[in-house]
Amino acid sequence: MALEERRMLVGLLEKGMFVSRLDRDWVGTPFPFQGFYVESDKDVELLGNYCTSVFIDVIKSNAPAEPLLTLARHGKSVFPPRVQEYRNTVELHEELPRARDAHASARKLAERLEADVRESRRLVAGDIRDAIEPMVESLIRNVDAFFWLMALLRRDDYAYSHAVHCSALAAAFGRHLALPRDVLVDLATGGMLLDIGKAALPEELFKHPGPLSPEAVVAMRSHVAEGLKVFDESGLQGTWARDILAGHHERHDGSGYPNGLKGDQIPLAARMGGIIDTYDAICSDRPHAKGASRHVALQTVYRASDKLYQGEVVEQFLQCLCVYPTGSLVELSSGEVGIVMAQNQARRLRPRVMLLLDADKRPYKPYRDIDLMAVERDAGGSTAVRIVSSLEPGAHGLDPAALFLA
C-alpha cells in the first residue's frame, strides 16, 4: 500500500488521523508499533506526554490533510548549529519585577523611536541597545515571565505594543534555537524596528478600515525601504536585525514584497520575522480586525506552512511558544477556566495555569495557580485534568489586564 506521510504537532491532531511514526523510538511508549488511529482527546493527551510531533499517514487517515505539515524534504537543517542551550535559571515570580522594568523601558523606547522618526530625528543606537539588552537578559533568565507580563498588560496602542511584542518574540525564538546572546540582541532590535518605516508615512494610511487603493498599497509597502533608511542612518549594526527589516514581508512561495524573494533566497532572520509579525498582528486588535486567541493565531500561521512560510521554521516557532502559548485563555476538562502562566517543556500540553473561574464559571477568590503536570485528577476523580479548548480574548467577560494577577 502506498504511504504518504506528513508531520504534525501533537496538539493539532484531529480524531481519525492515523499515526504511523513518532518523533522518537516506539520503545518505552504505550503505543503499538504498527501505528494507530487517534480516537479521542485522551489519545492526544497521552501522545503529548511522550512526543512533540508525530508522522501521519495521509492515505489511511480519516481526517482532512490540509492542516498537516509536510516533512522536511532536504537533507540538512535550515538552522545554524545550536551554540548553547538556554534553561530558565530563576523562578517566574522572582523574574517578574525585572521583566516589568525591562518591559517599561522597551515600551518607552518604542514610543520614542516613533516620535524621533516622525520628527526626522536620527535614532541613537546606544539608546536602543540600552533598552533591548535588559529585555533579552530577562528572557534568557526566564522566558515565561516577560510573556506572562505582556498578557496582563493592556494593548492600548497597536504600533507600540506590536514593536515590543515582536522584539520579545524574536529574542525568544532565537533563544529556542540556542543562538548566541549577541544574535538574540540583534533579533530583538530587528523586531523592535520591524515597522519603524511606517512612522515616516502618513498615519491615515495605516488606519484605513477598508481595502486600500493600488496607489495606497504601493505607498504602504514603501515602509520597508523607509525602515531600512532609518536603520542605516542610525549607525546600528547587525545583519540579523537588518535582515528582519528588509525581508519580513517576503514569503516562501515568492508572493511577498518588496523583492518577491522565495524559499532559501529569504534570510533566516527574515523568515523568522515574517512569522512573528503575522502571529502578533493576528493576536492584536487593529482598525479592521479584532484580535484572535494565541492558539488560533498559531493555527493560522501553521496552515500557511510551505506556502507563505517555510514549514520547518513554522514548526520551530510552534515548539518555541508551545500549543497553548503563555497568556492563552483556556478551559480545562474540569470545566475551570484560566490563563496559561508558564510552559512545561517536558509535557507541552500540560502547562502551569492561573485558574480564574471554577467549574460553574464563578470567580475564584483568590485565584488559584496550578501546574497541570502535577495534577492527576479532576474534581470527579476520574480523568487527568487537561486543556480541552482555547478561548477567545474576553470570553466569560474576562479581561486579564483588569485582574491584577502580577
Side-chain angles (χ1 to χ4, degrees):
M1 180 180 290
L3 174 67
E4 182 181 350
E5 284 189 325
R6 299 289 187 272
R7 188 172 187 172
M8 189 172 194
L9 293 179
V10 169
L12 297 178
L13 288 172
E14 297 180 11
K15 295 175 185 177
M17 291 180 176
F18 186 85
V19 178
S20 56
R21 285 195 291 140
L22 310 179
D23 64 358
R24 51 161 291 170
D25 197 293
W26 291 99
V27 176
T29 75
F31 309 114
F33 294 175
Q34 67 270 25
F36 62 96
Y37 284 96
V38 176
E39 296 180 348
S40 67
D41 291 337
K42 289 183 180 179
D43 291 340
V44 177
E45 168 71 13
L46 187 59
L47 276 165
N49 290 339
Y50 293 89
C51 309
T52 297
S53 58
V54 296
F55 298 85
I56 303 301
D57 185 329
V58 176
I59 295 176
K60 286 187 177 181
S61 292
N62 298 318
E66 185 273 331
L68 303 182
L69 176 60
T70 305
L71 275 165
R73 292 174 292 276
H74 306 290
K76 62 180 182 178
S77 171
V78 300
F79 302 107
R82 288 177 176 261
V83 176
Q84 65 183 90
E85 296 290 342
Y86 296 99
R87 296 183 182 277
N88 289 347
T89 57
V90 300
E91 294 296 324
L92 184 145
H93 70 274
E94 181 183 348
E95 183 57 34
L96 273 176
R98 288 179 289 191
R100 187 178 287 106
D101 290 343
H103 183 277
S105 295
R107 170 60 190 236
K108 288 179 181 177
L109 173 67
E111 295 178 11
R112 189 167 68 249
L113 292 177
E114 180 167 329
D116 286 346
V117 172
R118 292 204 180 282
E119 298 297 325
S120 300
R121 292 190 294 265
R122 180 176 173 177
L123 305 189
V124 180
D127 290 348
I128 296 174
R129 292 190 71 88
D130 287 346
I132 292 293
E133 288 183 345
M135 179 179 66
V136 171
E137 294 297 339
S138 179
L139 287 161
I140 288 175
R141 288 189 295 267
N142 187 301
V143 73
D144 291 299
F146 202 90
F147 287 107
W148 172 239
L149 183 66
M150 289 196 307
L152 306 182
L153 297 176
R154 196 177 302 280
R155 297 188 179 205
D156 54 351
D157 184 284
Y158 174 72
Y160 304 150
S161 296
H162 187 59
V164 175
H165 289 197
C166 287
S167 184
L169 285 165
F173 198 177
R175 180 189 192 272
H176 170 74
L177 297 176
L179 298 173
R181 178 191 175 280
D182 61 329
V183 173
L184 303 191
V185 173
D186 274 359
L187 288 169
T189 300
M192 178 66 71
L193 300 175
L194 197 75
D195 286 335
I196 193 63
K198 291 181 178 180
L201 302 174
E203 291 185 63
E204 57 269 19
L205 190 63
F206 302 96
K207 295 181 179 180
H208 193 277
L212 296 174
S213 67
E215 295 78 14
V217 169
V218 171
M220 180 274 295
R221 291 185 172 186
S222 72
H223 81 270
V224 175
E226 293 290 344
L228 288 173
K229 180 181 177 182
V230 168
F231 183 91
D232 292 336
E233 289 178 351
S234 72
L236 280 164
Q237 302 295 318
T239 301
W240 292 79
R242 196 178 191 282
D243 283 347
I244 289 181
L245 266 71
H248 66 280
H249 283 295
E250 302 289 355
R251 294 295 179 258
H252 186 64
D253 60 4
S255 63
Y257 66 89
N259 298 313
L261 303 180
K262 63 188 300 185
D264 293 341
Q265 295 175 331
I266 307 170
L268 175 57
R271 281 175 263 169
M272 294 166 65
I275 293 170
I276 289 165
D277 181 40
T278 300
Y279 167 78
D280 189 69
I282 294 171
C283 294
S284 305
D285 289 337
R286 292 167 288 164
H288 60 283
K290 184 174 177 57
S293 71
R294 292 164 175 79
H295 184 69
V296 167
L298 283 181
Q299 288 182 317
T300 302
V301 171
Y302 187 85
R303 290 190 177 97
S305 295
D306 287 327
K307 300 170 190 173
L308 303 182
Y309 315 105
Q310 186 168 1
E312 192 172 0
V313 183
V314 170
E315 182 177 354
Q316 289 297 323
F317 184 64
L318 267 66
Q319 289 188 24
C320 171
L321 295 189
C322 294
V323 176
Y324 300 102
T326 301
S328 298
L329 192 64
V330 295
E331 183 164 356
L332 307 184
S333 57
S334 61
E336 296 164 300
V337 173
I339 301 178
V340 175
M341 293 181 67
Q343 303 297 328
N344 282 317
Q345 295 301 321
R347 295 190 179 183
R348 295 171 184 267
L349 294 179
R350 307 192 77 175
R352 182 176 165 189
V353 176
M354 176 72 77
L355 293 180
L356 306 178
L357 305 179
D358 65 19
D360 296 319
K361 306 302 186 284
R362 295 174 301 194
Y364 274 118
K365 294 181 180 180
Y367 299 123
R368 298 174 55 196
D369 171 6
I370 67 167
D371 186 341
L372 292 185
M373 196 160 72
V375 177
E376 296 299 329
R377 303 289 172 185
D378 64 12
S382 59
T383 58
V385 178
R386 65 189 187 280
I387 294 174
V388 295
S389 65
S390 172
L391 303 178
E392 289 300 310
H396 301 293
L398 293 172
D399 178 5
L403 298 178
F404 304 102
L405 299 177

